[in-house]
Amino acid sequence: MGETIVEKILGRTSGRKVVPGDIAVCRPDMVVQLDMPYSIDGFWYKPKQVFDPERVALVFDHAVPAPTIKDAAGMAEGRRFAKEFGLKHVYDVGRHGISHVISAEYGLARPGELIVNCDSHTCASGALNCAGRGSGALDALQAMTQGLVWYPVSPTVRYEFKGQLNPFVAGKDVLFHIAQTYGSHVNQNVEFGGPGLLALPMNDRRTIATMCAEIGADFAIFEYDAVTEEYLKGRLDRPATPVAPDADATYVDVRIIDLSALEPYVVKPHHVPGNAVPVSRFERTKKIDQAFVGSCANGLIEDIRVAAAIMRGHKVADGVRLIVTPGSQSVYLQALKEGLVEILTEAGAVVTNSTCGPCMGVHMGILAPGEVCLTSSTRNFKGRMGSSDAEVYLGASATVAASALTGVITDPRPYAATMANLPRVAS
Amino acid sequence: MSELVREGRVWIFGEQINTDIMLPGSVIRGTLEEQRRQCFEAIRPGWWKEAREGDIVIAGHGFGTGSGRPAPAVLYACGVRAIAANSVNALFLRNAVNSCVPTLELAEVSSLFQEGDVARLNFTTGLVENVTRKTKAQARPLPQLLIDIVDKGGLINMLVAGGYIEPAPFIARSS
């Protein structure tokens, strides 16, 4: 019987063929450790051994630079651990980024492989044909010491793309459309492919894969194609073998997504499935206090370009804060070289260093009671970005930037032509 | 080998109860005692004061949706010793097993109980019983590997016994 992508990867790493309903006990290909567990009591025990120092990475992202003494002390312990075991892949402050962005940039998320990371958005690596899903910090500890991780094997839903996205309709909107049309994917894996895949840029795939956590999916994974190959050129330090699904693989459902028919969505507080409204049906009267572009979902150079294009020559609306947080220091540097930081700063936006930051209400832009935020980050739970009396709406980066311009939640599509505003810089 | 059974008083929660409700970001760096006092506060203020050791949480769909934060550990600190829900987020399930709060999924289990009933959950056989109302239902049993983790007192105890980690947690200093 044929297998889906995830079934093949779990099969290889567990040494036996798996079917939905099994529990797979696997040897991970890569384990990524973050700063966060060190500063939460009970989530870090000093290891006595590491299963393979070449397959354990350390990335500081959730609270960078350290906003509290406890965070700082936690990172100091992380450094000590990395040094003790001679870890190969270390991304400390200054070389850091959000772990899923780093995993893509530095080839930690590899086609056909299994990546472990205690963050819930580890499914982000699915865009690179790499199987990953949120685990707990204790599971990451088991994975990096014992070299074992277990997963319930869920059935898979397959999405086939056709057509291509219209200007200023983004991967974020694709995911919101799926959330609105199909709701929760709890206890399901999601697999993406189809004839429209080739026209879907890598940054949009990464947004979609990342945001699958918000519809409760387990693994979320994309097929490997020429776009994946192009992105990964020069990033892998050892060969990887992409995995494709068998033609006779079994799926819970196969669903066609016509990218050409999609419009931007806005998601209302305080959850995602069933809560998205097409922007054309969203009343253009919802005032916002804060707009945020960033996070593992939308902190890439493409997101910053869109924000700069819309804001160039204008000012952020009165009473609105626009915060832009690049997904990694590499993205930040590229934004600097492309002149985007200057454009955004002149418009009155605040461009910060890379970190998870405002997305989870840790620092760098927390909300007061009664405030409304439109964000391209991942989550709109009550209290997520600060006060539990604040409201968080979700949108793609273009929607966020257009709304920062007008001061109310705004359809970005009339601003698509502003992409011509971007200064031409030599790459 | 003896069966993994939990019997206790039931608390009923609704749909899509997320991890941030059980462990808000405002206390994610706090002590377990501070976290315990915020457990479910946003939707059931004062619940943490009424929960007792041995209590069981029964909920609807999507229980534990959200982040990988250690929400089950907070439930354990409040006294919760087992969970059964219509559907459970897999990440939460994992954290729950690792924190010694065995968790069962059974569609419509939330309609089998009313708050205050006594539930008896057998994780080895999957039998779900409402002791008060004398009704029962059959869930999928928890796999043996997961029962072993709970039996050994959670994942950490297993790793310590195996010589993989030091026995005491690292506590980052806050001053």
Side-chain angles (χ1 to χ4, degrees):
Chain A
M1 196 181 67
E3 294 174 292
T4 65
I5 298 174
V6 168
E7 286 157 14
K8 286 187 176 183
I9 294 174
L10 294 182
R12 173 182 64 77
T13 52
S14 68
R16 57 206 300 195
K17 187 169 155 71
V18 302
V19 294
D22 286 346
I23 296 251
V25 180
C26 306
R27 185 174 185 270
D29 295 300
M30 183 63 66
V31 182
V32 177
Q33 172 69 348
L34 312 178
D35 53 330
M36 191 92 183
Y38 297 111
S39 61
I40 299 181
D41 295 351
F43 267 39
W44 179 251
Y45 290 69
K46 293 185 182 182
K48 291 182 170 176
Q49 53 182 292
V50 162
F51 86 111
D52 185 343
E54 301 217 341
R55 291 175 182 268
V56 180
L58 182 67
V59 181
F60 289 161
D61 65 357
H62 273 56
V64 176
T68 69
I69 296 171
K70 200 163 175 79
D71 289 299
M75 282 188 253
E77 162 60 16
R79 285 179 202 111
R80 182 210 63 78
F81 160 67
K83 198 162 169 209
E84 177 181 358
F85 292 98
L87 298 191
K88 186 176 176 187
H89 311 278
V90 180
Y91 301 90
D92 200 344
V93 180
R95 200 181 164 231
H96 70 283
I98 300 173
S99 66
H100 314 303
V101 178
I102 292 287
S103 294
E105 285 176 350
Y106 290 93
L108 306 180
R110 312 155 59 77
E113 294 197 0
L114 180 65
I115 191 166
V116 173
N117 180 334
C118 70
D119 184 80
S120 54
H121 294 106
T122 302
C123 43
S125 294
L128 287 321
N129 187 242
C130 178
R133 58 188 270 199
S135 73
L138 301 183
D139 304 286
L141 191 56
Q142 179 176 29
M144 75 183 74
T145 55
Q146 198 177 14
L148 273 188
V149 62
W150 58 267
Y151 300 105
V153 181
S154 298
T156 300
V157 172
R158 180 169 167 92
Y159 286 95
E160 302 235 323
F161 294 121
K162 68 176 200 185
Q164 63 181 75
L165 294 173
N166 290 316
F168 278 22
V169 181
K172 202 59 158 299
D173 303 307
V174 176
L175 186 286
F176 290 155
H177 173 79
I178 289 174
Q180 192 57 20
T181 311
Y182 299 104
S184 168
H185 293 59
V186 164
N187 296 341
Q188 293 177 334
N189 301 318
V190 184
E191 185 180 281
F192 294 99
L197 181 63
L198 204 53
L200 191 59
M202 178 52 72
N203 64 294
D204 288 307
R205 301 182 192 193
R206 288 166 70 180
T207 302
I208 293 168
T210 306
M211 290 297 289
C212 279
E214 305 315 311
I215 53 176
D218 292 345
F219 292 97
I221 197 156
F222 278 73
E223 289 204 41
Y224 178 98
D225 64 2
V227 169
T228 330
E229 183 178 14
E230 179 61 33
Y231 177 80
L232 287 172
K233 275 203 178 106
R235 300 187 198 265
L236 302 184
D237 61 357
R238 53 185 167 84
T241 309
V243 169
D246 292 331
D248 61 337
T250 304
Y251 298 99
V252 169
D253 201 8
V254 179
R255 301 166 181 166
I256 314 289
I257 302 287
D258 183 0
L259 298 173
S260 318
L262 299 183
E263 65 172 288
Y265 279 85
V266 174
V267 178
K268 301 175 297 179
H270 305 284
H271 61 271
V272 172
N275 222 15
V277 179
V279 74
S280 60
R281 279 195 262 136
F282 196 93
E283 282 196 47
R284 193 179 150 140
T285 52
K286 184 67 186 179
K287 286 182 52 162
I288 62 172
D289 300 291
Q290 179 158 305
F292 176 67
V293 174
S295 85
C296 49
N298 287 100
L300 300 183
I301 192 66
E302 290 85 356
D303 300 285
I304 303 180
R305 284 178 188 147
V306 152
I310 292 176
M311 297 307 305
R312 186 175 196 188
H314 301 289
K315 297 288 186 201
V316 175
D318 260 349
V320 178
R321 293 138 7 221
L322 171 58
I323 300 178
V324 178
T325 299
S328 71
Q329 290 303 95
S330 303
V331 172
Y332 185 36
L333 185 59
Q334 191 175 359
L336 276 165
K337 289 182 176 176
E338 292 187 13
L340 311 178
V341 178
E342 183 173 339
I343 290 171
L344 288 165
T345 307
E346 277 190 330
V350 174
V351 182
T352 75
N353 60 271
S354 168
T355 180
C356 300
C359 175
M360 44 181 291
V362 171
H363 65 325
M364 314 286 268
I366 296 187
L367 301 177
E371 288 192 326
V372 175
C373 179
L374 177 67
T375 179
S376 69
S377 59
T378 58
R379 218 159 250 169
N380 60 353
F381 294 162
K382 211 172 205 288
R384 170 75 180 179
M385 298 181 85
S387 168
S388 57
D389 288 328
E391 290 189 317
V392 177
Y393 290 75
L394 304 179
S397 297
T399 312
V400 173
S403 307
L405 186 62
T406 63
V408 295
I409 294 184
T410 297
D411 187 338
R413 287 173 296 176
Y415 300 90
T418 63
M419 286 304 283
N421 285 352
L422 293 179
R424 303 272 171 264
V425 280
S427 51
Chain B
M1 189 175 289
S2 63
E3 297 180 339
L4 182 62
V5 179
R6 295 277 186 269
E7 182 168 327
R9 175 182 66 160
V10 163
W11 294 97
I12 302 283
F13 287 87
E15 305 295 305
Q16 304 293 331
I17 302 294
N18 69 58
T19 52
D20 294 38
I21 289 176
M22 299 180 229
L23 173 49
S26 58
V27 286
I28 207 163
R29 269 174 188 65
T31 62
L32 196 50
E33 180 57 27
E34 285 165 349
Q35 293 172 349
R36 190 173 75 85
R37 288 158 185 265
Q38 294 302 319
C39 188
F40 292 123
E41 266 308 273
I43 59 169
R44 288 185 78 158
W47 175 86
W48 65 273
K49 283 186 261 195
E50 298 181 46
R52 298 279 172 270
E53 180 170 346
D55 282 351
I56 293 179
V57 164
I58 305 283
H61 284 284
F63 189 76
T65 194
S67 83
R69 64 187 60 186
V74 180
L75 293 182
Y76 189 95
C78 289
V80 175
R81 290 293 174 269
I83 297 166
N86 295 353
S87 65
V88 178
N89 177 275
L91 175 51
F92 180 89
L93 170 71
R94 173 184 302 285
N95 277 340
V97 166
N98 289 344
S99 302
C100 259
V101 186
T103 299
L104 271 181
E105 273 189 305
L106 175 61
E108 309 319 307
V109 68
S110 60
S111 60
L112 294 178
F113 292 94
Q114 290 181 32
E115 197 148 277
D117 287 352
V118 172
R120 182 180 160 88
L121 308 179
N122 186 322
F123 291 89
T124 303
T125 64
L127 185 62
V128 172
E129 294 174 274
N130 185 327
V131 176
T132 307
R133 291 172 205 283
K134 301 189 179 4
T135 54
K136 55 174 86 164
Q138 183 63 45
R140 251 175 134 164
L142 214 54
Q144 190 58 45
L145 176 64
L146 277 61
I147 290 176
D148 287 346
I149 291 174
V150 174
D151 269 343
K152 293 203 162 105
L155 179 60
I156 289 301
N157 288 332
M158 247 183 60
L159 291 176
V160 171
Y164 293 102
I165 61 175
E166 290 191 1
F170 169 81
I171 306 294
R173 290 179 50 176
S174 38
S175 63

